[in-house]
Amino acid sequence: MPDVKMVVCCKQVPDPEAPPTAFKIDPTVNKVTLPRDIKPVIGQYDEFALEAALRIKDKVGGKITVLSLGNNIARDVIKKTLAVGGDELILLEDESFEEGDSWSTAYALAMAIKKIGEYDLIFCGRQSSDWDAGQVGLGIAEILSIPALTLARKVEIIDGKAKVEQVISDGYQVTEIGFPSVITVTSELGNLRYAALKGIMAAAKKQPVVWKPADIGLEPSQVGIAGRRVKLAKLFQPAKDAKCEIVEGESPAEAGANLAVKLREAKII
Amino acid sequence: MAFKGVDYYGIEELLSDEEKMFRNAARGFLEKEVEPLVVNAFHKEELLNMKELAPKMGEVGMIGATIPQEYGGGGANYTQFGLLCQELERVDGALRSFVAVQSGLVMYPIWQFGTEEQKRKWLPQMASGKIIGCFGLTEPNRGSDVGGMETVAKKNGNVWVLNGAKEWISEASTADFALVYARTDEGVKAFLIPRGTEGFTQTFTDKKGAMRVGDVGTLALNDVKVPEEDVLPGSTRVKHVFACLNQARFGISWGAIGAAMSCYETALNYTKQREQFGAPIAAYQLVQRDLVNMLIEITKAQLLSYRLGRLLDAGKAKHQQISLAKKNNVEMARMCARTARSLLGANGCSYDYPPIRHMGNIEAVYTYQGTDFIHTLILGQDITGIQAFTRKL
């Protein structure tokens, strides 16, 4: 089936490869603070989701609309989605979108997808690369009343349906899902292709469309922190207490046996 | 991406989205595909397999970035090319050499001085990385003294016959063809010579202390016959040779920043972790002085190259300005490599850390593409009006 209409949700997150010591938590306001030199990136799982859509476009043709929600979305980061082959970029960008939870994010994205109108497949990463909640994709499906499949490692279009290989604990299962539907994608699908110079130069000519809450029929009170249904009770860095104990023995074998006894006593094995 | 860059003066804000995107794409590609191969290759002086890597680099748009898209290039501006060179040399100078040679020394002259047929024949294949070229200018007896070139080409009917030798040629043994300069009765001309041409020998030079992951070697020309259609018609004078060198020299000015960034970042992280006398060595004043000196020189070099890129894009850059940037930035990277090596103490002598590898590479860069002395004299002539290259004894 040619020309599959796809929406891919991509979130801008702080670079997860930044050293953990760079992230500071302020427990008085329950917030993570980042130094300025930690650059944002597109969430890794969202990149896999985009790659899934690009492979479908390569094989059977289609249109990819990338959707991103946040505030101060870095253009040089998010336009990578256009450089690799996305056709259109819509940013839900406003101060009021900040600090939402999975529900308020899914709700705003679903309203934007409704406004986009025509869609066959909605791709999301299996979870974000910052909070790891893993709920937004399924939330969008619930709000739009469409089916969803999770943890896709391969997606193909066959006879007007998506044939999906889903990762399970001991392998994978093959399932089919009709249109329209939501598919969340996992790392086994493979990395997003590199942005090539020609794609970057072509993307430079495209400008993202920016929608505010009112553009998708929402009040500022329905999005971001105001629209949260989950309250963050406490955010803090757990104190870690590390102790080192040398397990001795007359021989390596005896030391090993002594270690095993201690691990058993500690109920680790 | 693990590397966050060195940007003390907010140069990031001066870059366009597409400039940052291309830099980031190159950084991501190189960190994943190339960087893990470099240390062992350098240690063993085993060449990176450019026949395998070049097509991948071509896909990302790293080869011939500034060449127009109609000839397979990327249509990038000079700042994008510079940022690419920075990322390449941050990984290893030989990679930047490879790209600078392909783009600035082989593709650029074909594009500027070649026929339409030559452009269509060579440029798209080179941009895709399917074909590798080399640039034959330096000779065993003629380095800086380009005008004294000993390789000659004599016309015999519709064929040129070349004799001579070229030395210290990047990609010499790998190249599918060479762009070779030779003295003729009609001036210095550029000849395109495919691999395997009778009398044309390509040899690898080993036992180098620099650029050990890159192919460097010699070209020997023994009655090599080149048909007229493989001569670049627009390149007839030494000044046309320098037009190509200016491309590569600009790339070097950015590449040197990449090497220096690598050294600075390594030294900064190391000195913050390494403890002596009960404190991280970064807590000591002498160490801080060294770190700050590196940062200051890198920042100045960045501003220089950034401005130079914008001048080139506007068509306003003088070749003397390119000399200034090449000379300054390479000297800066040389200082950073030595300083970082020293701050790392004995570990600085290990290839487990990049400074000593950059230190070797930057010595080659200090000499090639116009030695530091030559660039000094170019600038000296520009400000005094008196040339000091030659003297009669």
Side-chain angles (χ1 to χ4, degrees):
Chain A
M1 178 188 153
D3 292 338
V4 185
K5 291 179 263 315
M6 295 172 278
V7 176
V8 183
C9 300
C10 289
K11 182 181 183 184
Q12 174 180 292
V13 298
D15 188 347
E17 286 191 33
T21 49
F23 294 82
K24 305 282 181 216
I25 291 171
D26 183 349
T28 59
V29 288
N30 285 347
K31 278 187 183 171
V32 178
T33 53
L34 288 167
R36 276 192 315 167
D37 58 357
I38 300 298
K39 302 276 191 315
V41 296
I42 297 168
Q44 206 180 3
Y45 295 106
D46 298 344
E47 286 203 344
F48 304 144
L50 179 56
E51 179 61 29
L54 288 166
R55 288 181 194 175
I56 289 170
K57 185 180 167 184
D58 289 345
K59 208 160 182 184
V60 300
K63 182 185 174 190
I64 297 173
T65 302
V66 176
L67 196 53
S68 189
L69 176 147
N71 191 31
N72 293 327
I73 301 172
R75 299 303 193 262
D76 60 302
V77 173
I78 201 69
K79 281 176 83 175
K80 177 181 173 186
T81 59
L82 296 174
V84 292
D87 298 285
E88 191 178 45
L89 175 59
I90 299 173
L91 305 180
L92 305 182
E93 190 177 39
D94 194 74
E95 204 177 322
S96 61
F97 285 121
E98 282 191 350
E99 295 182 54
D101 62 359
S102 300
W103 163 261
S104 64
T105 302
Y107 194 66
L109 289 170
M111 292 304 107
I113 292 166
K114 268 190 183 173
K115 181 169 174 170
I116 291 167
E118 289 189 315
Y119 54 88
D120 298 316
L121 290 173
I122 299 162
F123 286 101
C124 297
R126 61 179 282 182
Q127 65 202 66
S128 68
S129 302
D130 50 1
W131 289 99
D132 290 327
Q135 296 178 35
V136 166
L138 296 175
I140 292 171
E142 175 67 20
I143 295 161
L144 295 176
S145 297
I146 59 175
L149 279 178
T150 56
L151 302 178
R153 65 166 216 174
K154 187 176 181 185
V155 185
E156 286 181 298
I157 304 301
I158 296 172
D159 298 331
K161 291 179 183 171
K163 183 182 167 194
V164 181
E165 289 182 8
Q166 288 180 280
V167 173
I168 54 176
S169 59
D170 55 353
Y172 68 94
Q173 64 185 17
V174 182
T175 44
E176 277 188 358
I177 193 165
F179 295 163
S181 54
V182 172
I183 297 173
T184 74
V185 179
T186 187
S187 43
E188 285 85 346
L189 185 123
N191 289 330
L192 177 63
R193 60 200 61 187
Y194 294 110
L197 177 56
K198 282 180 189 166
I200 291 167
M201 300 306 275
K205 293 175 189 145
K206 295 182 185 173
Q207 287 309 313
V209 175
V210 177
W211 287 347
K212 301 284 178 189
D215 296 321
I216 51 173
L218 295 178
E219 296 293 326
S221 61
Q222 293 172 282
V223 300
I225 194 165
R228 284 187 81 105
R229 293 188 175 188
V230 174
K231 191 178 175 209
L232 183 62
K234 194 175 180 190
L235 186 68
F236 64 99
Q237 194 141 13
K240 282 186 184 168
D241 186 21
K243 281 191 289 189
C244 179
E245 184 182 343
I246 306 294
V247 180
E248 292 178 343
E250 290 294 320
S251 64
E254 190 185 310
N258 290 341
L259 174 63
V261 168
K262 282 192 176 289
L263 290 172
R264 176 62 61 86
E265 284 170 0
K267 295 188 175 159
I268 293 169
I269 57 172
Chain B
M1 284 177 285
F3 183 69
K4 62 184 188 327
V6 179
D7 185 19
Y8 204 70
Y9 258 46
I11 290 163
E12 192 80 357
E13 292 171 21
L14 302 174
L15 302 175
S16 69
D17 288 343
E18 52 272 24
E19 287 163 353
K20 286 184 271 189
M21 284 166 74
F22 186 46
R23 190 240 357 243
N24 294 346
R27 183 175 291 174
F29 172 88
L30 291 164
E31 285 183 357
K32 186 153 180 255
E33 307 281 344
V34 189
E35 199 167 21
L37 310 172
V38 164
V39 172
N40 277 339
F42 192 94
H43 169 54
K44 295 176 183 167
E45 202 176 9
E46 286 174 355
L47 308 185
L48 291 177
N49 185 348
M50 295 316 293
K51 290 281 180 194
E52 201 176 289
L53 276 176
K56 291 184 187 175
M57 293 166 78
E59 257 182 54
V60 182
M62 291 183 170
I63 305 172
T66 57
I67 300 293
Q69 291 193 2
E70 63 170 311
Y71 296 115
N77 66 18
Y78 277 100
T79 304
Q80 282 173 306
F81 176 59
L83 288 163
L84 168 64
C85 289
Q86 170 190 295
E87 294 306 314
L88 288 160
E89 191 141 0
R90 189 171 70 78
V91 175
D92 194 90
L95 290 162
R96 201 264 311 127
S97 277
F98 175 82
V99 165
V101 167
Q102 300 308 297
S103 308
L105 299 184
V106 185
M107 294 178 78
Y108 178 82
I110 293 174
W111 173 51
Q112 281 292 299
F113 308 120
T115 63
E116 191 60 26
E117 200 181 352
Q118 288 167 338
K119 292 180 206 179
R120 302 273 170 206
K121 179 180 175 184
W122 297 104
L123 296 180
Q125 291 201 81
M126 286 192 73
S128 68
K130 288 177 189 154
I131 279 192
I132 294 171
C134 68
F135 175 85
L137 177 67
T138 301
E139 300 185 347
N141 296 324
R142 289 291 180 270
S144 301
D145 183 8
V146 174
M149 182 181 300
E150 293 176 351
T151 298
V152 291
K154 292 196 186 304
K155 204 162 187 185
N156 187 358
N158 204 27
V159 170
W160 292 87
V161 181
L162 274 73
N163 281 286
K166 301 290 177 179
E167 198 173 57
W168 300 115
I169 307 303
S170 293
E171 320 317 322
S173 76
T174 317
D176 298 293
F177 77 105
L179 190 153
V180 170
Y181 288 94
R183 175 187 296 286
T184 76
D185 292 339
E186 303 164 21
V188 172
K189 283 181 167 283
F191 300 85
L192 303 172
I193 306 174
R195 185 182 194 84
T197 300
E198 195 178 341
F200 179 50
T201 313
Q202 302 170 250
T203 315
F204 172 65
T205 301
D206 62 2
K207 301 187 184 72
K208 302 184 301 296
M211 303 290 182
R212 289 168 61 84
V213 308
D215 175 15
V216 179
T218 58
L219 306 174
L221 302 128
N222 186 14
D223 285 335
V224 173
K225 294 184 179 62
V226 180
E228 185 64 43
E229 64 257 31
D230 287 339
V231 181
L232 299 185
S235 184
T236 54
R237 298 168 64 183
V238 173
K239 77 169 189 179
H240 297 135
V241 181
F242 288 129
C244 312
L245 295 177
N246 283 331
Q247 301 290 308
R249 288 168 178 175
F250 169 72
I252 287 172
S253 82
W254 280 91
I257 295 169
M261 279 180 170
S262 168
C263 294
Y264 168 74
E265 191 204 31
T266 305
L268 182 63
N269 291 337
Y270 184 90
T271 56
K272 281 160 73 177
Q273 284 167 9
R274 171 83 172 172
E275 289 193 9
Q276 293 291 289
F277 306 108
I281 59 173
Y284 297 107
Q285 291 178 353
L286 289 171
V287 171
Q288 288 196 3
R289 182 200 58 180
D290 279 358
L291 292 169
V292 168
N293 281 344
M294 280 196 273
L295 176 67
I296 289 171
E297 292 309 318
I298 290 170
T299 304
K300 282 162 29 182
Q302 284 174 313
L303 292 167
L304 206 59
S305 283
Y306 169 78
R307 174 64 183 151
L308 183 59
R310 294 292 185 240
L311 285 172
L312 277 162
D313 281 329
K316 291 179 181 172
K318 298 197 303 179
H319 73 85
Q320 293 90 343
Q321 290 169 322
I322 298 174
S323 284
L324 192 153
K326 194 270 182 185
K327 174 182 162 58
N328 178 79
N329 292 11
V330 173
E331 179 63 53
M332 174 279 298
R334 207 176 179 215
M335 179 279 284
C336 286
R338 288 177 177 183
T339 305
R341 209 260 1 114
S342 152
L343 287 174
L344 266 62
N347 284 326
C349 297
S350 166
Y351 288 148
D352 286 343
Y353 298 88
I356 198 162
R357 185 164 46 79
H358 289 306
M359 203 168 120
N361 287 341
I362 208 72
E363 287 303 311
V365 186
Y366 188 71
T367 291
Y368 75 24
Q369 295 287 329
T371 66
D372 185 76
F373 283 178
I374 286 293
H375 289 297
T376 306
L377 298 184
I378 288 170
L379 290 162
Q381 181 181 22
D382 194 41
I383 59 174
T384 65
I386 306 164
Q387 74 83 19
F389 299 99
T390 60
R391 59 169 53 179
K392 287 181 182 162
L393 294 174

